Amino acid sequence: MYLISETQSSRTAGEMLHSSSRLVVPLRAQRSRWSCNRNSVKPLNRRRFASFTDLKKYPQPGENIYGFTLKRKKHIPELQLTALHLEHDKTGAEYLHVARDDKNNVFSIAFKTNPPDDSGVPHILEHTTLCGSERYPVRDPFFKMLPRSLSNFMNALTSADHTSYPFATTNRQDYKNLLSVYLDATLHPLLNEKDFLQEGWRIGPKNPKVDFGGEHSRDDLDNNLVFKGVVYNEMKGQMSDSGYLYYIKFLERVFPAINNSGGDPRKMTDLTYAKLKDFHSSNYHPSNAKIFTYGDTPLEDHLAMIGQELDQFKRAEADKTIKTPRSLGDGPFYHTIKGPRDTFVDSNMQYKTSTSWLVGQTSDLVEMFSLRIIASILIDGYGSPLYQALIESGLGPDWSPNTGLHSYGDRAIFSVGLSGVKEADVPNVKNAILSKIREVHKKGFDRGKVGGILHQLELALRHKTANFGIGLVERLEPGWFNGVDLFDALSVDETLAAFKRKYATPGYLEGLLEKFLLNDRTLTFTMEPSDNYSQELDAEEGLRLAAKLTEASKKGGGVSEARKKLIAQEAELLEVQSKEQDLGCLPSVHVRDVPREREKKPVRISSLGHVKVQWREAATNGLTYFRGINSLVGLPSELRMLVPLFAESVMRLGTKSKTMEELEDLMNLKTGGIQVTYHASPAPTDRSALHEGIAFVGSALDANVPAMYELLRIIIQETDFDGPGAESKIRQLLQSSASGAIDLVAGSGDSFASMYASAGFSPIGRMSEQTQGLTHVQHDGELANRSPVLGLEDVIAKLKTIQEIAIENASNFRGAITCGKGAVSPNEAALQNFLAGFPSSAGMPKDTGGHDAVSFSPKTFFSLPYQVYYSACTLPTVSYSDPSGAALQVLAELLTHEVLHQEIREKGGAYGGSAYAAPLSGTFGVRSYRDPNPQNTLNIVRDVTHRAATHEWTDGELERAKLSVFQAVDAPVSVSEEGMARFLNRITDEMLQRKREQLLDVTKADLRDVAQKHLVEGWKDARIAVLGEKKDWVRESDGWTVKSLKLSQPSEFAGASDMSDGDLRRT
């Protein structure tokens, strides 16, 4: 998956000191794990160095250890870690080890990979690097290792100017295995040409027929030649996202020295296999590498293993150039591009526009921290100056994709803009930005707002996260490659102290505003809508394909001969992809390494009157985490669909006595954040029974818990839905939700397809679709598009009804508190005071809609303007407590790793294809992501699910599937999440232990039984949903119901209230 980190506004406070927005390209987001054994390294006869934080027990600077020289070391008490900076003597590879008392050990190796053009060579190389290496000469050991590991994070990421390969695991043997595979993959890859064809691009038949057994013949290949390739289709999917398109084209304009590392499909087909190999030899060398390790594994253990690998190389030259953006000194500059029209936004509000400045040097961490504070004050929150000047004023409903402070190369870029702008308002956006910044400069920055941001930083430092190491390397690497001092980036307290010294000088922040933003040395970047954008892309691809075929025919002796060679090439690739491999070289942990007893996090239950409270007493660094759920029995569907809007409204409207800006300031100063959400969970013993309600979440320093509860009470009880600006603000929330909805769906198209396909199976399926799915997206879009003449009075009346029933001081309400032992009594008193302010009962309105009778078509196609497709096929199964659920979970992993990845991704060219078993909702499904050929995928799904009941799985396949399941089951969790399975889903420790044993004890016979019952016999209940551009193969005569996700003209009706045909429009 190629993702782009669009820094909407500033970064969170906890990331301010050591982060930079960057183009992030995860290869396979959170792609499970692998472990690879290698010959153990015998330790040298020398003292062992402590693996935690005592500086005295580590080597001294200048000392050599396993071929590395320690350059410096430093203890960072605020992060409870010790950092050691080393250099490999032979190659010059830089190495940072972060010692911390954390068993979730992390490794990353990264290379500077300045892209030479827009062909995506860094991205395609990232994929092909992991397709086999000298020590592990099998096809795609990365994916083959996923079910051979217990890691909780494994990925590869192509960023704007570097490529990194990180993993995390709590198992020591697993760590050694993964380290071996990662180092061999990056330093000794095979880079076979057929892997380049599979992962990069090729020309081949559109519909190769495949089957479960892997048999193929050249007669199976049609003559409809197309461009194919995993990365090629991935990036076609990205280009369907107007937000991504705007952002990447903006970067190309402001930062021409950094080409598109992900790849533009129009340029990708210029990349040759020879160029790929040259790029690897020039960049993937230890002399161009930065290595990171983290956790409680002793330093010498890391150095012994890594040093052995690096010692095989000599020092080499590499392109480590730090790129710079274009100069804006002669500005202002203006640039306009064309992009796709958003069918889900008012046809008159189709422009995206932003204004950008070059600001500070990224290596000046104190100035960058100061600029992040400025960005946060200007942009974050509904009360921020630029939100009020741009969005609340009605110029546009949402920020542009590039809004925020971004760090690329050696300079930071500050951008502000809007999406959903009318053509006439495009110049007004820039004028409003400049005017508001001048006004802020004249007025000065409120010291209370700065204090709130610093308070958020303190809370972020105290919060104990489960993935601290991965978060740390992702924040450090961009700056590391661009001249930022690592120890300065880690020294939070020193940066904070330096900022406070500068801030003590009157006008310091205002001076930075004047230095960087009170000028017109700007770039204004605009995207205007094109009605023919998708057709133009298709036409360009057709012409490019024709040119490539002409070129091939000239080289291959005519058109007919060239086509034969391309079809033969595809057949040869299919044969390689289908050939059985000896995977014995790949190491693995084993199911016996999984403890049969789960680690318990004890909780206790108390009562405050009729209210049950779950307590988790743990070391929280002085923080309290609160969750509350008020169950709403018999909630009408017309109210349920508005609960998400209610949750947004109470964080937007303010009260009669306080503006939202004032409330936001109090939240920043007194809490770590508060939130209101819709909650629903099926009963673990009965998937047809459902608990739903409204959830309340908050965190604070122990001393500020009463203030946290008071703020929760205020936003719930006192939010003013009748205020003079309430309707306008609610409309803005709806328009913001609609703006970019098409891109939101594209980013998680397989999940939206799965949700819709499952909606008819159970109450949880229906309610999830109503509150999160395509139905909800359409519902909010219709409300956003409603004529202002009609107003939103009926909607506001329903929101006020939700406010009345949101919390009851009765048995319907339950709470959960995680805190230190010393904070229990103060928390109990504060919660009791909080509940005393709410009524003991509230009447529930009757549901008059009769919506439960809604039926769903077995096959639904959503016509959407995408270049690729997203599909899902789902079936109903069993409740969480049913013993057969464990076998279904294992079967899903088996099908994913042993069949679907090969058939849907490798052969079919989709970016992703997987099976899943949702134990709580009781569904089983198969889905594809960024899929060029959903017809082929659906044929595979039917074939695979039916043959799963008779297939003879091996013992090794079964074990690997169980390991895959336990990667998620045993993944570390943050302290704030401990005990939440019981509280949120009513799953007891006894249920969790029983499920664990059932998973460990699944047999091959169990797999056949559940496959027969739920996949074969249950196929009659299957539901299919596909999202993408409608083609001729989608016909009602073949059983398809065709719907569209688009807006009607401004409606004179009240808007859809449930999943009716008026909700998702028939075409």
Side-chain angles (χ1 to χ4, degrees), residues 783-796:
L783 292 179
N785 202 41
R786 188 191 290 187
S787 169
V789 176
L790 292 173
L792 296 171
E793 289 183 9
D794 59 319
V795 174
I796 292 173

Side-chain angles (χ1 to χ4, degrees), residues 637-874:
S637 292
E638 62 179 7
L639 294 185
R640 178 182 303 113
M641 294 190 74
L642 288 172
V643 170
L645 180 59
F646 169 79
E648 289 185 274
S649 297
V650 298
M651 302 299 292
R652 172 67 185 96
L653 299 183
T655 69
K656 291 181 179 179
S657 61
K658 283 185 171 62
T659 66
M660 198 63 230
E661 180 180 3
E662 293 171 327
L663 289 171
E664 286 176 337
D665 289 345
L666 286 171
M667 291 178 200
N668 284 334
L669 284 167
K670 297 296 184 180
T671 79
I674 59 178
Q675 186 181 15
V676 180
T677 64
Y678 173 77
H679 170 79
S681 176
T685 56
D686 182 1
R687 56 188 289 272
S688 66
L690 183 88
H691 303 281
E692 68 171 328
I694 298 179
F696 309 90
V697 184
S699 65
L701 292 170
D702 292 339
N704 290 334
V705 166
M708 176 191 73
Y709 283 129
E710 176 61 10
L711 284 165
L712 269 172
R713 186 199 65 76
I714 288 172
I715 67 166
I716 296 163
Q717 284 192 328
E718 298 184 14
T719 292
D720 186 8
F721 286 95
D722 294 319
E727 181 172 328
S728 173
K729 292 174 182 177
I730 291 170
R731 186 180 296 278
Q732 287 169 357
L733 290 175
L734 290 165
Q735 290 176 338
S736 178
S737 176
S739 175
I742 295 293
D743 295 341
L744 170 70
V745 172
S748 303
D750 55 339
S751 296
F752 278 99
S754 297
M755 200 179 306
Y756 188 85
S758 303
F761 292 152
S762 64
I764 185 62
R766 177 169 59 88
M767 293 174 187
S768 295
E769 176 63 20
Q770 287 179 333
T771 56
Q772 304 174 60
L774 295 171
T775 299
H776 185 260
V777 171
Q778 179 76 33
H779 172 264
D780 277 8
E782 294 288 353
L783 292 179
N785 202 41
R786 188 191 290 187
S787 169
V789 176
L790 292 173
L792 296 171
E793 289 183 9
D794 59 319
V795 174
I796 292 173
K798 293 172 184 176
L799 294 175
K800 291 167 67 177
T801 300
I802 296 172
Q803 185 180 31
E804 292 172 0
I805 63 175
I807 287 189
E808 297 176 6
N809 185 5
S811 58
N812 281 349
F813 186 86
R814 53 196 172 94
I817 294 175
T818 301
C819 63
K821 289 184 178 181
V824 171
S825 294
N827 263 290
E828 192 170 50
L831 179 58
Q832 199 155 19
N833 290 335
F834 171 67
L835 293 172
F838 294 95
S840 58
S841 64
M844 180 66 66
K846 292 183 179 180
D847 189 346
T848 59
H851 301 294
D852 287 344
V854 174
S855 61
F856 290 83
S857 168
K859 295 164 63 176
T860 306
F861 187 94
F862 291 91
S863 180
L864 289 163
Y866 302 147
Q867 296 289 304
V868 287
Y869 294 84
Y870 308 86
S871 71
C873 175
T874 63

Side-chain angles (χ1 to χ4, degrees), residues 349-414:
M349 300 169 62
Q350 293 285 329
Y351 284 76
K352 293 178 172 67
T353 187
S354 66
T355 296
S356 303
W357 293 260
L358 298 183
V359 289
Q361 296 288 330
T362 55
S363 58
D364 187 338
L365 294 180
V366 178
E367 187 169 83
M368 287 300 299
F369 178 66
S370 305
L371 288 168
R372 292 191 188 284
I373 288 179
I374 290 173
S376 181
I377 293 173
L378 290 176
I379 298 168
D380 284 348
Y382 296 117
S384 63
L386 286 172
Y387 183 92
Q388 293 177 343
L390 299 175
I391 296 177
E392 193 162 308
S393 69
L395 286 173
D398 202 4
W399 299 114
S400 62
N402 62 332
T403 294
L405 184 66
H406 306 259
S407 301
Y408 291 99
D410 67 346
R411 290 291 299 275
I413 303 166
F414 180 66

Side-chain angles (χ1 to χ4, degrees), residues 497-557:
F499 165 76
K500 289 180 177 179
R501 288 193 296 270
K502 289 179 177 289
Y503 184 55
T505 302
Y508 168 63
L509 291 180
E510 292 79 4
L512 290 178
L513 204 63
E514 182 175 357
K515 177 181 178 181
F516 292 118
L517 301 183
L518 289 187
N519 60 70
D520 203 7
R521 296 188 294 274
T522 60
L523 169 66
T524 297
F525 189 80
T526 302
M527 177 186 283
E528 63 182 22
S530 168
D531 292 328
N532 302 314
Y533 183 79
S534 294
Q535 294 90 326
E536 290 169 358
L537 284 183
D538 289 342
E540 185 281 330
E541 185 178 54
L543 291 172
R544 182 161 35 91
L545 177 63
K548 289 291 182 183
L549 290 173
T550 299
E551 180 183 335
S553 66
K554 291 179 179 178
K555 293 179 180 178

Side-chain angles (χ1 to χ4, degrees), residues 242-318:
S242 65
Y244 165 81
L245 181 66
Y246 180 91
Y247 193 85
I248 198 66
K249 293 300 181 184
F250 161 76
L251 283 182
E252 289 175 4
R253 195 69 186 176
V254 77
F255 227 126
I258 298 182
N259 293 297
N260 185 345
S261 62
D264 184 335
R266 295 173 299 179
K267 304 295 184 181
M268 201 173 289
T269 50
D270 293 335
L271 181 64
T272 65
Y273 174 55
K275 290 179 181 179
L276 181 89
K277 294 182 69 176
D278 288 344
F279 190 79
H280 177 272
S281 64
S282 300
N283 294 280
Y284 278 48
H285 188 281
S287 298
N288 194 36
K290 300 194 186 296
I291 299 168
F292 173 93
T293 54
Y294 164 91
D296 65 2
T297 298
L299 171 64
E300 66 172 2
D301 289 1
H302 293 296
L303 297 179
M305 291 184 289
I306 296 170
Q308 178 178 274
E309 295 297 326
L310 301 190
D311 283 344
Q312 302 174 42
F313 294 85
K314 297 179 180 179
R315 195 177 293 256
E317 295 297 321

Side-chain angles (χ1 to χ4, degrees), residues 441-506:
H441 178 261
K442 183 177 180 180
K443 182 179 179 181
F445 289 102
D446 187 295
R447 299 188 74 85
K449 293 184 185 297
V450 175
I453 294 172
L454 298 181
H455 178 251
Q456 294 301 302
L457 174 60
E458 178 187 0
L459 296 182
L461 292 175
R462 287 174 177 256
H463 178 57
K464 298 174 70 173
T465 64
N467 58 350
F468 181 88
I470 285 292
L472 192 62
V473 68
E474 289 182 346
R475 292 194 295 270
L476 288 175
E477 277 181 348
W480 195 1
F481 278 104
N482 288 289
V484 174
D485 185 276
L486 287 172
F487 283 17
D488 288 348
L490 286 168
S491 300
V492 177
D493 280 355
E494 291 179 9
T495 302
L496 184 57
F499 165 76
K500 289 180 177 179
R501 288 193 296 270
K502 289 179 177 289
Y503 184 55
T505 302

